[in-house]
């Protein structure tokens, strides 16, 4: 009953395939995403080229401009922009004219200018460390995209190879059916298997194109390095100089400097005003005087107004401290997973190579037995499928191991 159902199923698939015109032609996908291998390009160069076109570049440039502006302000001798005051008064009788002109300049509080200079220095350090963190993040995207392309290409190559193998098998089966050595049901079964392999090949080709498009979208180019395999970094645990940790630590240091700079504002900026006064009129009895004056104003008692600004900055500071703690945990977990994956895939690669060797030998024996008529086609197909899967697994494990080296380097913060 099982054999009868299998034959009926094969006949149904064959009729459907013939009606669609797929029995003798490979499905054609016109969409293409070309990729060119550049033997002279290194992985580091690919990352640098990607970074040049990355959206975060505008943000990084703004950070640099901000630090330059803060540095310029901290070097100023005044705590703010000076202002010019003019005053003129004339009596209705026309016998008195009074005028006053002064320049008022805000001064730094004691230690305030040093605090602002500290903010400028930390802003510069933070901008530089953010650049390194962005580069590491971009490196991770490029690494993942490259190895995804290679994995999909291996699957496509294997699918293409399997189609070739089944085309040869179909030719042999057709010949033996013509000679009456095999039933026509075997021919239908072989044709069905070939159609299925062609469908797998079409899907594998589509995945290759998707992987290429992802790479092109990330890098904004269609060239890939000729060799992007990496040497495993000799780093046993997450270091404090990890770019992501350095970036957020510098943000914390900058925010601490900002808190101190806000405190240094105190009740406000003291002002010094320098001016001249004139007091004269057309009446000869009026006093015709000109004077020079200096005025100093010192604010006080503004702690209640300053406290909310300090509290708001402290909220941001402690949010960054919490984020750094969580980031440290995430990095430790990513490192553990990367390390564990390396160990597992090394062991699995050894097993996969052994399975591949055994499956290939078994397949040779089975093909010989089929040619001698000792086994049927269904047994051959089952063993052939198992052998092809073993071959694919061995190829994939080899690539995955190399990919895991790159991911380990990414986890510990190594940028090519």
């Amino acid at each position: 009953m099982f054999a009868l159902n299998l034959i009926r199923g094969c006949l149904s698939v064959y009729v459907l395939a013939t009606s669609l015109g797929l029995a003798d032609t490979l499905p054609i996908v016109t969409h293409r995403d070309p990729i060119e291998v550049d033997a002279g390009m290194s992985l580091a160069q690919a990352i640098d080229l990607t970074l040049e076109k990355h959206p975060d570049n505008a943000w990084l440039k703004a950070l640099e401009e901000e630090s330059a502006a803060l540095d310029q302000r901290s070097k100023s001798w005044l705590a703010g922009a000076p202002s010019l005051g003019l005053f003129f008064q004339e009596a209705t009788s026309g016998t008195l004219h009074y005028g006053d002109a002064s320049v008022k300049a805000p001064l730094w509080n004691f230690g305030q200018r040093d605090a602002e200079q500290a903010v400028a220095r930390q802003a510069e350090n933070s901008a530089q460390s953010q650049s390194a963190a962005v580069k590491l993040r971009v490196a991770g995207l490029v690494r993942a995209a490259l190895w995804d392309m290679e994995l999909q290409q291996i699957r496509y190559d294997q699918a293409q190879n399997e189609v070739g193998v089944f085309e040869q098998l179909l030719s042999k089966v057709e010949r033996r059916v013509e000679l009456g050595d095999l039933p026509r049901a075997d021919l239908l079964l072989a044709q069905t298997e070939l159609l299925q392999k062609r469908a797998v090949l079409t899907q594998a080709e589509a995945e290759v194109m998707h992987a290429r498009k992802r790479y092109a979208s990330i890098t904004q180019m269609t060239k890939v390095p000729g060799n992007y395999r990496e040497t495993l970094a000799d780093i046993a645990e997450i270091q404090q100089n990890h770019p992501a940790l350095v970036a957020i630590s510098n943000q914390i240091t900058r925010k601490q400097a900002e808190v101190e700079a806000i405190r240094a504002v105190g009740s406000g900026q003291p002002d010094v005003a320098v001016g001249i006064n004139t007091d004269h009129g057309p009446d000869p009895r009026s006093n015709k005087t000109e004077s020079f004056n200096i005025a100093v104003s010192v604010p006080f008692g503004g702690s209640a107004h300053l406290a909310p600004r300090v509290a708001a900055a402290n909220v941001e500071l402690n949010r960054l401290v919490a984020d750094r703690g969580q980031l440290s945990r995430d990095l430790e977990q990513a490192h553990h997973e990367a390390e564990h994956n390396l160990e597992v895939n090394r062991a699995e690669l050894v097993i996969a190579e052994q399975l591949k060797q055994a499956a290939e030998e078994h397949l040779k024996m089975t093909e010989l037995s089929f040619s001698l008529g000792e086994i049927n086609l269904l047994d051959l197909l089952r063993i052939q499928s198992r052998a092809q899967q073993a071959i694919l697994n061995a190829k994939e494990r080899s690539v995955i191991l190399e990919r895991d080296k790159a991911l380990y380097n990414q986890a510990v913060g190594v940028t090519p």
Side-chain angles (χ1 to χ4, degrees):
M1 181 62 69
F2 173 76
L4 181 59
N5 290 335
L6 179 62
I7 293 174
R8 287 176 180 172
C10 293
L11 284 170
S12 298
V13 173
Y14 176 71
V15 172
L16 178 61
T18 304
S19 66
L20 296 176
L22 298 177
D24 299 316
T25 59
L26 182 68
I28 298 175
V29 179
T30 57
H31 177 77
R32 288 290 182 270
D33 291 298
I35 286 293
E36 178 186 352
V37 177
D38 187 348
M41 179 188 294
S42 65
L43 176 59
Q45 290 172 330
I47 293 171
D48 288 339
L49 290 172
T50 302
L51 188 60
E52 289 177 2
K53 303 172 185 177
H54 196 269
D56 277 346
N57 256 343
W59 173 60
L60 294 175
K61 184 177 180 180
L63 289 178
E64 293 176 358
E65 292 173 351
E66 181 197 27
S67 76
L70 290 171
D71 181 64
Q72 183 179 10
R73 179 178 185 274
S74 69
K75 291 179 179 178
S76 173
W77 288 102
L78 299 177
S83 59
L84 174 65
L86 296 174
F87 176 78
F88 178 77
Q89 182 180 8
E90 181 178 3
T92 55
S93 63
T95 60
L96 177 65
H97 300 287
Y98 177 79
D100 179 71
S102 64
V103 175
K104 183 170 67 173
L107 304 178
W108 294 107
N109 287 323
F110 180 75
Q112 185 183 2
R113 190 183 183 201
D114 291 339
E116 292 290 344
Q117 289 176 343
V119 171
R121 288 194 302 271
Q122 297 306 326
E124 182 180 6
N125 292 338
S126 180
Q128 293 174 352
S129 60
Q130 288 295 338
S131 179
V134 168
K135 184 174 183 179
L136 177 64
R137 187 165 66 249
V138 169
L141 295 174
V142 175
R143 282 163 162 159
L146 284 170
W147 287 109
D148 183 39
M149 275 198 304
E150 183 155 343
L151 272 175
Q152 298 302 337
Q153 186 65 45
I154 280 179
R155 290 163 185 164
Y156 172 76
D157 293 342
Q158 179 66 20
Q160 196 172 42
N161 181 63
E162 290 181 16
V163 167
V165 170
F166 272 85
E167 286 176 343
Q168 294 177 3
L169 177 61
L170 179 60
S171 298
K172 294 178 182 178
V173 171
E174 287 176 341
R175 180 59 178 162
R176 290 181 64 177
V177 169
E178 290 174 359
L179 297 175
D181 190 26
L182 291 175
R184 183 166 179 75
D186 281 356
L187 176 60
L188 298 178
L189 179 59
Q191 289 172 334
T192 302
E193 288 293 325
L194 178 57
L195 285 171
Q196 291 176 347
K197 294 299 180 182
R198 285 175 175 173
V200 171
L201 176 61
T202 303
Q203 185 60 39
E205 183 183 37
E207 293 301 325
V208 168
M209 297 305 149
H210 293 332
R212 289 181 176 182
K213 183 59 180 178
R214 283 192 293 271
Y215 174 81
S217 178
I218 290 170
T219 62
Q220 295 295 296
M221 61 182 178
T222 57
K223 292 185 177 182
V224 299
N227 180 22
Y228 44 87
R229 282 163 173 72
E230 300 183 42
T231 302
L232 191 64
D234 186 18
I235 300 177
E237 59 185 14
I238 299 296
Q239 305 294 316
Q240 291 303 310
N241 62 354
H242 190 290
L245 283 177
V246 171
I248 196 168
S249 294
N250 283 345
Q251 282 183 294
I252 290 172
T253 305
R254 172 184 170 166
K255 187 59 66 175
Q256 289 171 335
E258 288 179 355
V259 171
E260 294 303 317
I262 293 173
R263 288 195 175 117
V265 172
S267 300
Q269 304 303 144
D271 292 322
V272 60
V274 179
I276 58 173
N277 304 95
T278 63
D279 182 4
H280 63 85
D283 191 339
R285 293 173 297 175
S286 67
N287 294 325
K288 295 183 179 181
T289 62
E290 294 185 357
S291 61
F292 173 79
N293 58 73
I294 297 177
V296 177
S297 63
V298 179
F300 62 93
S303 59
H305 301 283
L306 185 65
R309 293 180 58 194
V310 175
N314 270 319
V315 168
E316 296 176 4
L317 172 61
N318 284 282
R319 180 68 267 172
L320 288 171
V321 172
D323 288 344
R324 180 174 62 180
Q326 185 59 52
L327 175 62
S328 181
R329 295 181 181 185
D330 292 342
L331 290 175
E332 288 177 1
Q333 182 178 355
H335 171 257
H336 171 75
E337 291 177 358
E339 188 176 39
H340 185 251
N341 287 338
L342 272 173
E343 295 175 357
V344 170
N345 284 315
R346 283 194 184 104
E348 289 191 353
L349 177 60
V350 174
I351 297 173
E353 290 290 348
Q354 294 172 345
L355 285 173
K356 173 189 172 184
Q357 183 178 358
E360 288 176 335
E361 293 179 1
H362 190 197
L363 179 59
K364 290 179 182 178
M365 295 171 59
T366 304
E367 288 174 339
L368 178 60
S369 297
F370 176 73
S371 64
L372 297 176
E374 296 177 355
I375 63 171
N376 59 37
L377 179 60
L378 193 60
D379 289 335
L380 173 62
L381 293 177
R382 185 177 66 252
I383 295 171
Q384 195 170 50
S385 177
R386 187 183 302 168
Q388 288 165 346
Q389 187 59 49
I391 293 171
L392 177 60
N393 286 342
K395 291 178 180 179
E396 284 184 340
R397 284 298 159 192
S398 178
V399 172
I400 289 173
L401 182 59
E402 293 298 324
R403 181 199 66 182
D404 286 347
K405 292 179 182 178
L407 295 183
Y408 182 90
N409 289 348
Q410 178 73 24
V412 297
V414 174
T415 304

